[in-house]
Amino acid sequence: MTTNKEWTVNKRNKSLSQEELKEMSKEELIEKIIQLQSHNLQLRNIIQKRDPDGESSNDAASKKRKRKFDFSKSHRRHILLKFLYFGWDYQGYASQEDSTATIEYHLFKALERTCLIEKRESANYHRCGRTDKGVSAFSQTISIDVRSKFPPDEQMLPESIENELNYCVMLNQSLPVDIRCISWHPLTEPEFSARFNCQERIYRYFFPRGTLNIPAMEEGCSYLVGNHDFRNLCKMDVANGVVAFMRSIASARIRQVDNEKTSEDPHSMMFLEIRSNAFLWHQIRCIMAVLLLIGLNKEEPEVVRELLDIEKNPRKPQYSLASDIPLNLYETVFEGKDSWVYNQHTLERVVKDIETQWIFSSIKTTMMEEVAKDLRKVLEEKFNQYGETICCGEELLQGAKMRQYKKLLERSKGESLEDRIEHFIKKRRLNVNEVS
């Protein structure tokens, strides 16, 4: 027969039902409450560590006692704000209920801390692009109403623009070092949107040349240009009402990063540059995954053309995404918006911040290259076998590796678009009018 003590130990880490709680003695209930209190304290400590800007109750109370900024006495102006970030350590750009590790969380924290806005809901805010977890941006742009030193009728005067609040300096003092504000642009139209008025978005995906077949990858790129249905080269987001997958690609090309290395050096860095006015969810990472398979000589370049032919291939074959780390929103283009306001001191500071990060990253890279070089020598001397000098490209593909490779068009397929639409309509998560 199980004793009360043994029963308590066995049940300690389980969720107990109401009936089980009723069977417990007073001592066992007290012990359970003490365990829950201890667990609750641990969780609070974990949350506080994850939020480096978290405030104690005393800090919050002190903040409340301070005089609140009176926004009714200040002017506002509508601007574009351009900034960069390295997204490797973040859960994506957009705010999330269960995480503070997003770019948007830190951005609005800085905007509110500097009293440039009162709150997000009244800031007339739009973002140009919504980058996913791990993805970076060199030219993320938002449109927003911010505090101004000048009344509306004076805001477009050259002297007002020159003597305006230094938005970038103010924000950079409150932002993490891997998120930097670069410049701002005054707007005359309050309805101008960074999202809807963006003419072109340019992404770059960086990768080492390695042993990849670059000419074959370039041929694969050529099939992407033009207006196509990309349902087989993206992640279909039907649950959120995305049922149209036609997109127009202005250009897609592979280039070498300008540096001192020769074009044939396997250590030289390359990038895919792709231009369009709009992209689908995971579209570039899907495209890059297929291009890497072409570069590995596992697929022919024409497979891109086949995947774009939805009459022949209406269902997406199963394949892994390319890694998120090398992807970067490189540039955003707005027609007629070329009078960006830069500040020399701000740019110098941003360059210094980035170069400081580069120094340590470059040191790490060099250390890894050196130890790999030394170990390759051991391979050659001890086993008469010379290891590969650089990754072949397969390392950038996520998911489990196949023991025996199967061609993309021969793999099992996912649901068709029509089946997914019908599924979500039945679950009442998609309105019939959205797809009509």
Side-chain angles (χ1 to χ4, degrees), residues 27 52 170 211 270 291 312 388 408 425:
E27 290 75 18
M170 293 170 69
T211 56
M270 314 291 292
L291 291 177
K312 287 175 64 177
E388 288 189 12
L408 280 175
I425 287 176

Side-chain angles (χ1 to χ4, degrees), residues 14 23 99 167 263 311 336 349 409:
K14 294 183 179 180
E23 292 178 7
S99 176
Y167 298 123
S263 59
E311 296 296 326
R349 182 72 245 184
L409 299 179

Side-chain angles (χ1 to χ4, degrees), residues 72-333:
S72 66
K73 294 180 180 179
S74 64
H75 304 291
R76 296 203 302 176
R77 71 150 79 222
H78 194 49
I79 67 168
L80 287 176
L81 192 64
K82 184 184 292 185
F83 56 101
L84 64 84
Y85 52 84
F86 299 106
W88 309 315
D89 296 325
Y90 293 92
Q91 295 297 310
Y93 177 83
S95 295
Q96 299 174 25
E97 289 184 4
D98 58 346
S99 176
T100 60
T102 66
I103 306 299
E104 215 167 47
Y105 169 84
H106 289 286
L107 176 62
F108 275 96
K109 201 172 185 72
L111 284 164
E112 291 174 7
R113 183 177 288 164
T114 53
C115 296
L116 288 178
I117 67 167
E118 185 172 10
K119 56 184 178 179
R120 174 173 175 164
E121 292 74 17
S122 60
N124 190 17
Y125 165 74
H126 286 100
R127 57 188 173 228
C128 180
R130 176 174 174 158
T131 55
D132 292 324
K133 177 183 176 182
V135 179
S136 300
F138 290 178
S139 186
Q140 177 66 276
T141 309
I142 65 171
S143 53
I144 192 166
D145 291 348
V146 291
R147 178 164 56 94
S148 171
K149 290 165 62 176
F150 303 97
D153 58 343
E154 297 179 14
Q155 287 177 358
M156 296 308 292
L157 296 174
E159 57 268 26
S160 297
I161 294 173
E162 185 178 349
N163 295 300
E164 184 57 279
L165 293 170
N166 197 328
Y167 298 123
C168 292
V169 167
M170 293 170 69
L171 288 170
N172 287 344
Q173 288 173 348
S174 295
L175 285 167
V177 72
D178 49 6
I179 307 174
R180 299 284 87 179
C181 182
I182 307 168
S183 61
W184 66 280
H185 192 295
L187 296 171
T188 55
E189 316 94 329
E191 68 280 0
F192 191 94
S193 166
R195 177 186 176 188
F196 298 109
N197 291 100
C198 183
Q199 298 294 306
E200 191 174 53
R201 295 164 175 86
I202 303 169
Y203 279 86
R204 284 186 177 182
Y205 191 102
F206 293 85
F207 61 96
R209 172 182 285 274
T211 56
L212 292 168
N213 185 342
I214 301 298
M217 295 175 73
E218 289 173 336
E219 183 182 343
C221 281
S222 68
Y223 299 117
L224 295 167
V225 179
N227 198 38
H228 304 286
D229 188 312
F230 283 90
R231 69 181 66 180
N232 289 330
L233 288 168
C234 74
K235 188 169 182 178
M236 290 196 291
D237 196 15
V238 177
N240 287 318
V242 180
V243 293
F245 297 91
M246 295 295 294
R247 293 294 185 273
S248 181
I249 301 296
S251 69
R253 59 180 190 168
I254 290 176
R255 293 289 184 270
Q256 181 174 336
V257 176
D258 290 334
N259 55 29
E260 73 286 353
K261 291 183 172 66
T262 65
S263 59
E264 300 304 317
D265 189 329
H267 290 86
S268 63
M269 294 299 295
M270 314 291 292
F271 63 86
L272 163 71
E273 182 180 274
I274 189 163
R275 296 169 174 254
S276 178
N277 65 330
F279 290 92
L280 295 157
W281 189 21
H282 289 333
Q283 183 179 355
I284 299 172
R285 291 172 64 192
C286 284
I287 288 171
M288 193 64 207
V290 174
L291 291 177
L292 285 170
L293 293 174
I294 293 169
L296 291 163
N297 295 316
K298 293 184 175 182
E299 298 285 346
E300 297 299 321
E302 290 78 13
V303 74
V304 175
R305 184 174 58 193
E306 292 295 315
L307 290 170
L308 293 171
D309 188 344
I310 61 165
E311 296 296 326
K312 287 175 64 177
N313 299 287
R315 297 190 299 153
K316 179 184 175 183
Q318 295 180 357
Y319 59 89
S320 300
L321 286 172
S323 170
D324 49 9
I325 298 299
L327 184 56
N328 166 31
L329 175 57
Y330 186 74
E331 190 176 349
T332 51
V333 180

Side-chain angles (χ1 to χ4, degrees), residues 330-352:
Y330 186 74
E331 190 176 349
T332 51
V333 180
F334 297 88
E335 188 176 359
K337 306 299 179 189
D338 53 1
S339 301
W340 289 90
V341 180
Y342 290 94
N343 176 275
Q344 181 181 347
H345 172 73
T346 302
L347 284 180
E348 288 173 349
R349 182 72 245 184
V350 169
V351 170
K352 185 175 181 180

Side-chain angles (χ1 to χ4, degrees), residues 44-68:
R44 285 185 179 182
N45 290 335
I46 290 170
I47 291 169
Q48 197 165 17
K49 285 178 182 177
R50 287 183 178 177
D51 182 6
D53 299 317
E55 298 166 337
S56 68
S57 57
N58 290 335
D59 292 334
S62 174
K63 208 172 192 180
K64 282 183 181 178
R65 284 194 294 270
K66 290 180 182 177
R67 177 184 282 183
K68 218 176 171 185

